[in-house]
Amino acid sequence: MLAALVIVELHLPASTSLKAKRGPVRSLAAALRNDLAVSVAEIDHQELWQRATLGIAIAATSETGARKVAQNVEKICGRDPRAEVIRFSVEIVETEE
């Protein structure tokens, strides 16, 4: 079994407050959870209005499968017109059995 950790740093140019930021971040997290069955959490920049960093955890049976899901994460994040992807990284971790 493998785990992949995806870090997505976002710029939210239309956000004018933390409350305004909450909508796009929650919507994007829900889309990722519903479409890809991944775990999502906002892991950094909680205090900034126009920045958000999401951590996404993927469980997979192969590295190819994990990378395919990570590519879909990138596509979903890139499709949202309210958010611009600043940084995207993937780290694959093999679990010990």
Side-chain angles (χ1 to χ4, degrees):
M1 173 157 252
L2 294 169
L5 174 61
V6 178
I7 305 293
V8 182
E9 193 170 329
L10 302 168
H11 178 237
L12 305 156
S15 289
T16 56
S17 68
L18 291 175
K19 188 174 181 178
K21 170 186 166 180
R22 191 177 315 134
V25 171
R26 282 188 178 174
S27 174
L28 188 53
L32 292 168
R33 284 185 194 106
N34 293 336
D35 294 351
L36 303 174
V38 296
S39 296
V40 183
E42 186 177 1
I43 59 171
D44 201 4
H45 300 109
Q46 290 94 338
E47 74 288 350
L48 298 178
W49 295 358
Q50 295 186 337
R51 295 279 296 275
T53 301
L54 299 180
I56 298 104
I58 301 166
T61 56
S62 70
E63 184 172 345
T64 304
R67 290 199 183 276
K68 187 180 283 189
V69 174
Q71 286 177 340
N72 288 330
V73 167
E74 188 172 23
K75 286 179 188 175
I76 290 171
C77 291
R79 280 195 311 237
D80 193 323
R82 301 169 294 179
E84 173 189 345
V85 176
I86 297 172
R87 184 174 67 97
F88 185 88
S89 67
V90 179
E91 181 181 340
I92 305 291
V93 179
E94 190 167 346
T95 61
E96 293 182 23
E97 295 183 33

